[in-house]
Amino acid sequence: MSRLITASAVALIASLSAAHAKTDVQWWHAMGGELGSKLEEIVKGFNESQEDYNVIPSYKGTYPETMTAAIAAFRAQEQPAIVQVFEVGTGTMMAAEGAIVPVHQLMQDQGAEFDQSAFLPAVVGYYTDTDGNMLSMPFNSSTPILYYNKSVFEKAGLDPEQPPKTWAEMEEFSKQIMDSGAASCGFTTGWISWIQTENFSAWHNQPIGTMENGFGGLDARLTLNGPVQVKHWENLKRWTDEGVFKYGGPVGGDNAPPMFYSQDCAMIMNSSASRAGVIANAKDFELGFGMLPYYDDVEGAPQNSIIGGATLWVLSGRPDEEYAGAAKFFEYLSSASVQADWASFSGYLPITQAAADEMAGFFAENPGADTGIRQITLNPPTENSKGLRFGNYVQIRGVIDEEFEQLLSGSKDAQGALDSVVERGNKLIEEFQAQHQQ
């Protein structure tokens, strides 16, 4: 009898456990280090906040590695429910017919709380279709800003509370700094592609492509070899020759931050999400923050900067209960308290107005922390400044780096280098179109 009771008890416990077992939801991401630890803390908070779903985060390497892994997994029918994809992968994800579940559709199908108007226009605009529907969930959005060394400014006789506003002032301040001996270089930059080409164009309300920078469809082509972009690349070459500007290398420009931290260069333009790292490394000098410089003779400048970072895409082919979990998780993730905590910690931008409002106290206590949010909301986005969407754009960024190095080496002038970017980039876009055009 005792055996029967024991067996029955075991069966009952098993059935109760099964009834309350959480549904696992796999999330592949590209956040390592401290950001990865914070991400896991956020997931832990969600998992402990309810009893139905268990989000499992998995680090898959860099952004390109994570996207490549997800595509391969999808082909093998082993895809996660959620994958983090960087902003320039948007065109590729959109073109993957049948592979994604648009976020607006997911939230509607699951009856989840979702108000698209709550998201900041400069953030959500990057990830909507031509009808204005959100395709992916913003998570970590950033924009480039100016960091400067107040101590060097003071040594050079400049006002440490006044960063340069225009490119003319960037040159003037840099030369005064170098002439005074306060630093040997005026400025450096991360990301020639993202900051000095894409954001530069948006900040000056200049198109980088036809059909609303690619938002209008696969027929779009690059046009970033216009007079304003050519003028800027000409200046970057001249400033390099004069020692005013020092090149930080291709892709993200990883050699640029050390030149700023060592006080070799007085200023750097880099991601707003670099803020925590910059503060940690700027222990020997006082740090200042400013918006990106602009040419004051270009009509419409400054306009607004555009975002980088990544969003969360939902992949098709998973069980319905996982989609219910994904929707619930997105509700949690986009809540004002979670977003404000994430943005305060990371330096990424709050993605909703409610989160930005909740950060008012943080911004007041941390001068300069609101620079990115002020910059992307400076003016309502235009067709030229809401972002870009081209297939094969990861490879196109590589082309931009290659041609910029051709410029610096003296092999090409600015017009020739940017003409080559357009010619080579459009071939990559045409290849993408041929693969995905129905």
Side-chain angles (χ1 to χ4, degrees), residues 66-347:
T66 301
M67 189 165 81
T68 300
I71 292 169
F74 189 86
R75 288 172 180 157
Q77 297 185 338
E78 297 174 352
Q79 69 272 26
I82 305 169
V83 62
Q84 183 186 30
V85 177
F86 57 161
E87 90 283 13
V88 292
T90 301
T92 299
M93 296 300 290
M94 276 189 67
E97 289 289 334
I100 66 161
V101 179
V103 160
H104 71 92
Q105 180 184 321
L106 171 82
M107 303 303 267
Q108 181 179 341
D109 291 348
Q110 300 300 329
E113 289 185 22
F114 181 66
D115 179 9
Q116 193 167 307
S117 66
F119 293 82
L120 294 173
V123 173
V124 73
Y126 208 116
Y127 303 106
T128 54
D129 62 18
T130 50
D131 295 323
N133 296 311
M134 259 172 74
L135 302 170
S136 56
M137 177 61 70
F139 174 55
N140 55 305
S141 295
S142 58
T143 201
I145 63 171
L146 175 73
Y147 300 90
Y148 70 101
N149 186 324
K150 287 187 176 183
S151 304
V152 163
F153 269 49
E154 200 160 10
K155 287 176 189 172
L158 294 166
D159 185 344
E161 302 306 320
Q162 294 297 323
K165 293 183 174 62
T166 66
W167 279 106
E169 287 183 344
M170 280 289 289
E171 180 174 7
E172 177 191 338
F173 290 11
S174 293
K175 289 183 174 177
Q176 184 168 331
I177 286 165
M178 293 166 66
D179 290 344
S180 72
S184 61
C185 146
F187 70 95
T188 184
T189 187
W191 296 98
I192 290 296
S193 54
W194 181 50
I195 300 175
Q196 301 302 336
T197 309
E198 298 157 28
N199 263 282
F200 171 83
S201 298
W203 195 227
H204 290 82
N205 199 24
Q206 300 294 307
I208 70 163
T210 61
M211 299 179 69
E212 301 179 36
N213 286 351
F215 277 74
L218 295 177
D219 292 332
R221 296 293 184 265
L222 297 176
T223 60
L224 49 74
N225 55 344
V228 177
Q229 290 102 332
V230 169
K231 170 186 175 180
H232 186 52
W233 274 37
E234 283 176 345
N235 283 335
L236 289 172
K237 164 62 173 167
R238 176 171 61 82
W239 291 328
T240 301
D241 294 343
E242 295 172 353
V244 169
F245 165 66
K246 284 192 177 177
Y247 176 53
V251 194
D254 291 343
N255 296 326
M259 291 191 280
F260 180 66
Y261 302 150
S262 67
Q263 303 192 66
D264 181 19
C265 293
M267 296 172 277
I268 183 173
M269 281 157 276
N270 218 347
S271 172
S272 59
S274 302
R275 187 175 188 277
V278 174
I279 290 172
N281 283 280
K283 293 176 180 175
D284 298 329
F285 59 90
E286 190 176 356
L287 184 64
F289 308 89
M291 291 191 187
L292 296 175
Y294 63 96
Y295 290 104
D296 55 9
D297 59 347
V298 176
E299 187 178 352
Q303 169 54 42
N304 65 277
S305 60
I306 57 177
I307 60 172
T311 54
L312 307 184
W313 290 79
V314 178
L315 300 180
S316 60
R318 301 303 308 174
D320 289 343
E321 56 268 25
E322 291 186 22
Y323 292 131
K328 199 76 178 172
F329 180 52
F330 285 172
E331 280 184 353
Y332 179 86
L333 206 57
S334 58
S335 65
S337 58
V338 172
Q339 269 299 308
D341 176 61
W342 166 246
S344 300
F345 170 83
S346 64

Side-chain angles (χ1 to χ4, degrees), residues 281-429:
N281 283 280
K283 293 176 180 175
D284 298 329
F285 59 90
E286 190 176 356
L287 184 64
F289 308 89
M291 291 191 187
L292 296 175
Y294 63 96
Y295 290 104
D296 55 9
D297 59 347
V298 176
E299 187 178 352
Q303 169 54 42
N304 65 277
S305 60
I306 57 177
I307 60 172
T311 54
L312 307 184
W313 290 79
V314 178
L315 300 180
S316 60
R318 301 303 308 174
D320 289 343
E321 56 268 25
E322 291 186 22
Y323 292 131
K328 199 76 178 172
F329 180 52
F330 285 172
E331 280 184 353
Y332 179 86
L333 206 57
S334 58
S335 65
S337 58
V338 172
Q339 269 299 308
D341 176 61
W342 166 246
S344 300
F345 170 83
S346 64
Y348 284 110
L349 306 171
I351 61 172
T352 64
Q353 187 58 54
D357 292 343
E358 188 152 321
M359 292 179 69
F362 174 80
F363 289 146
E365 293 170 10
N366 296 272
D370 64 343
T371 304
I373 198 77
R374 288 190 293 110
Q375 191 174 264
I376 67 163
T377 59
L378 186 63
N379 289 296
T382 69
E383 291 183 359
N384 298 328
S385 71
K386 66 179 179 180
L388 56 100
R389 186 173 295 160
F390 300 99
N392 284 337
Y393 202 79
V394 178
Q395 296 94 313
I396 291 169
R397 276 191 170 167
V399 169
I400 291 171
D401 286 333
E402 290 171 9
E403 295 297 337
F404 187 75
E405 291 183 347
Q406 291 282 305
L407 167 71
L408 295 188
S409 72
S411 299
K412 294 180 181 177
D413 63 11
Q415 186 71 64
L418 283 167
D419 286 349
S420 290
V421 170
V422 169
E423 182 182 356
R424 294 174 63 193
N426 282 339
K427 284 180 182 176
L428 288 165
I429 292 171

Side-chain angles (χ1 to χ4, degrees), residues 49-79:
S49 73
Q50 43 73 48
E51 299 180 349
D52 299 318
Y53 308 104
N54 184 49
V55 172
I56 302 172
S58 299
Y59 174 66
K60 294 294 178 180
T62 64
Y63 284 135
E65 287 168 349
T66 301
M67 189 165 81
T68 300
I71 292 169
F74 189 86
R75 288 172 180 157
Q77 297 185 338
E78 297 174 352
Q79 69 272 26

